[in-house]
Amino acid sequence: MSLEFVSDYAAAFLRENDIEGLKPQISAAHKTVAENKNDITAFLGWADLPFDYDKAEFDRIKAAAKKIQSDTDVLIVIGIGGSYLGARAAIEFLKGPMYNEIDDGFPKVYFSGNNISGAALNDILKVCENKRVSVNIISKSGTTTEPAIAFRIFRKYLEERYGKKEAAGRIYCTTDKARGTLKELANENGWESFVVPDNVGGRYSVLTAVGLLPIAAAGCDIDKLMSGAACAAKDYDIPDIDKNPCYKYAAIRNAFYRKGKQIELFVSYEPRFVMLGEWFKQLYGESEGKDNKGLFPAAVTFSTDLHSMGQFIQDGTRIMFETAVTVNNTDSDVVIEKEENNGDGLNFLAGKTLSYVNQKAFEGTVLAHADGGTPTLNIKIDKCDEENLGRLIYFFEKACAISGYVLGVNPFDQPGVEAYKKNMFALLGKPGYEDRKADLEKRLIK
Ligand code: PA5
């Protein structure tokens, strides 16, 4: 397992002093994390999580995953934001985006309750026909509308199909240890429950039961995931930025922000990274985008998006830099064969693998984008397995926290998420929102 952070391709866009000047702030941010880890209100529980977690619950997660594998064809994972993105990102990263189409003996995992689309929900209900179904409902607050609606529907589906008693054995609930509507329902109905720790926020929760149960149920090795993260927790706790690639990344993205960059593009060259890009967007978007500050996190997959976003990145408004995650060793490859008549003119590639061609695409793109004024930071990982993923997750989590402190925001709140909810509740006629409803209706264009 390895992770290498390469900033050389971006060197021409930075001055020595840009990073030197940030060292005191990185150091202060390091201290803030180190000194407040035990303050439950600081939401720093993710920092030591890879070794300081509830081992008995971890064993229960593995046992529940085994049970799901033995009695379930389709696992519906209901949750939104931090209660869904990490699990989906991990499963797609480890098994590939086609994981539900490829039969590997493990349950298919579908994600619901992350939107309010009736069509999407009906499609998942269709997938359940003639399949053995279980549900994992995940909500830290236990009150979020999107998953609550989906869970009401899937719970009824399970109870009608299996009867209340058997349905109860097919519902797994991940929520607060004591509070919330979901916890009350779980207690009343005897659903097996797992805990989202108080001091871990949603977008930092992939290494808790929130991510671990779906990931384990899909057949992935959560011991290795945690051990990769544990190595990262140790390596990225070194205060010296020159010995800590995680802090160096945090410093450079702040340096770019100060130089006027407005967008960070998470770039990958493998479709299995698409959902990891979504997870990255939430992690950095919710952590840094506040007080009228922050880099806007976006994600692209190359070479696919070189044929859609490539023009803008090369040549449009000069507001972005790229963070490209590349993989040194692929476990699945294709060799391009020689053809006698060379009708398509591709024989110059004969004998080459697709990963070789992909690497040349990366190299060509990095240099072209640098010429166009878009610098690239490169994070190289060894391969797409659990240990490397654990390390990568922790790298981005810690860099996000450090970077947020350097930016001068609280990386662990998300006050802005409430505004749409209040309006939606008012417009839906939820009791208590009457005044807001009257005001909003005056402003709505009929
Ligand atoms: O990062 C966060 O805190 C949010 O994205 C939450 O995860 C999301 O809003 C879902 O909340 P909950 O788990 O309470 O349903």
Side-chain angles (χ1 to χ4, degrees):
M1 172 196 38
S2 71
L3 184 151
E4 195 188 343
F5 175 64
V6 182
S7 57
D8 301 12
Y9 286 119
F13 295 83
L14 294 162
R15 293 210 188 108
E16 187 66 34
N17 210 27
D18 293 333
I19 308 304
E20 278 303 310
L22 280 165
K23 281 184 175 174
Q25 288 171 66
I26 293 282
S27 186
H30 170 82
K31 259 194 171 164
T32 304
V33 174
E35 287 170 5
N36 294 289
K37 274 183 198 169
N38 297 326
D39 173 0
I40 203 146
T41 61
F43 287 100
L44 288 163
W46 55 270
D48 286 344
L49 194 61
F51 30 83
D52 183 12
Y53 59 91
D54 181 340
K55 308 287 184 304
E57 177 174 82
F58 194 80
D59 288 343
R60 263 195 324 114
I61 290 171
K62 290 202 276 188
K66 277 230 153 61
K67 176 173 178 296
I68 292 167
Q69 287 163 6
S70 73
D71 68 4
T72 300
D73 303 312
V74 168
L75 173 67
I76 311 296
V77 178
I78 300 176
I80 195 165
S83 288
Y84 125 84
L85 283 163
R88 185 159 173 200
I91 294 170
E92 293 204 9
F93 177 94
L94 294 168
K95 298 178 54 151
M98 303 280 283
Y99 68 94
N100 276 336
E101 274 71 52
I102 297 167
D103 210 351
D104 61 359
F106 292 107
K108 310 295 174 208
V109 182
Y110 291 89
F111 291 86
S112 186
N114 54 68
N115 53 58
I116 320 177
S117 161
L121 203 141
N122 276 327
D123 282 350
I124 299 183
L125 281 167
K126 277 185 213 144
V127 167
C128 295
E129 275 169 29
N130 305 317
K131 302 280 190 318
R132 299 169 302 159
V133 179
S134 293
V135 167
N136 180 198
I137 166 74
I138 307 172
S139 175
K140 182 174 181 180
S141 61
T143 57
T144 307
T145 310
E146 290 89 338
I149 293 172
F151 183 53
R152 178 184 273 216
I153 287 149
F154 278 103
R155 184 185 163 195
K156 180 162 179 267
Y157 171 86
L158 287 182
E159 288 178 349
E160 283 178 359
R161 188 168 153 187
Y162 294 107
K164 225 172 147 50
K165 191 160 172 253
E166 188 181 341
R170 292 181 169 275
I171 295 175
Y172 301 85
C173 171
T174 307
T175 189
D176 186 88
K177 68 174 182 306
R179 283 166 306 195
T181 314
L182 196 53
K183 184 65 195 163
E184 284 162 26
L185 283 172
N187 288 346
E188 263 167 44
N189 291 281
W191 303 328
E192 172 143 34
S193 294
F194 300 95
V195 173
V196 193
D198 284 339
N199 57 354
V200 180
R203 57 190 173 273
Y204 284 82
S205 69
V206 56
L207 299 177
T208 71
V210 169
L212 295 177
L213 179 57
I215 295 169
C220 305
D221 187 332
I222 58 173
D223 285 300
K224 288 192 175 145
L225 188 70
M226 292 305 265
S227 79
C231 291
K234 193 168 141 276
D235 292 349
Y236 306 144
D237 202 30
I238 298 169
D240 182 351
I241 186 175
D242 295 317
K243 297 192 179 119
N244 187 334
C246 175
Y247 287 8
K248 192 159 183 198
Y249 167 60
I252 293 181
R253 55 194 304 290
N254 269 280
F256 277 140
Y257 179 66
R258 289 173 189 202
K259 284 175 168 295
K261 295 292 186 196
Q262 293 172 29
I263 296 173
E264 178 175 14
L265 276 180
F266 177 95
V267 177
S268 70
Y269 284 73
E270 291 286 345
R272 68 197 317 158
F273 276 79
V274 167
M275 286 308 300
L276 200 68
E278 295 301 304
W279 172 82
F280 170 90
K281 278 160 57 181
Q282 189 212 2
L283 181 63
Y284 281 80
E286 275 192 356
S287 299
E288 290 195 318
K290 54 196 69 162
D291 308 335
N292 295 330
K293 295 192 214 176
L295 284 161
F296 182 84
V300 286
T301 309
F302 290 164
S303 64
T304 314
D305 292 326
L306 288 172
H307 296 259
S308 61
M309 299 299 287
Q311 170 61 37
F312 195 112
I313 298 166
Q314 183 69 43
D315 211 16
T317 324
R318 304 293 70 202
I319 49 176
M320 59 187 81
F321 68 94
E322 298 173 41
T323 297
V325 185
T326 54
V327 186
N328 295 336
N329 299 295
T330 168
D331 57 357
S332 177
D333 215 338
V334 170
V335 180
I336 301 165
E337 288 177 10
K338 189 171 175 190
E339 269 187 11
E340 271 325 304
N341 65 9
N342 196 24
D344 55 13
L346 283 179
N347 271 358
F348 75 100
L349 295 175
K352 301 282 191 293
T353 60
L354 283 194
S355 59
Y356 174 83
V357 180
N358 214 5
Q359 174 62 20
K360 296 299 150 195
F362 164 73
E363 291 165 6
T365 303
V366 167
L367 297 179
H369 288 180
D371 291 343
T374 298
T376 299
L377 305 171
N378 182 202
I379 295 166
K380 293 182 182 184
I381 60 165
D382 202 24
K383 53 185 176 172
C384 292
D385 64 4
E386 286 87 342
E387 286 191 319
N388 281 278
L389 178 61
R391 177 177 281 276
L392 192 59
I393 285 171
Y394 195 90
F395 176 92
F396 279 123
E397 286 182 348
K398 182 112 195 229
C400 184
I402 297 295
S403 189
Y405 284 134
V406 171
L407 182 66
V409 298
N410 174 358
F412 305 112
D413 66 1
Q414 55 285 327
V417 181
E418 293 310 309
Y420 99 91
K421 288 187 194 167
K422 287 182 190 147
N423 284 357
M424 180 177 78
F425 290 148
L427 292 169
L428 286 167
K430 189 171 178 175
Y433 290 81
E434 292 75 9
D435 288 351
R436 183 180 280 259
K437 183 174 189 201
D439 174 52
L440 291 175
E441 281 185 340
K442 273 188 235 144
R443 291 167 52 204
L444 275 181
I445 295 157
K446 306 273 180 209

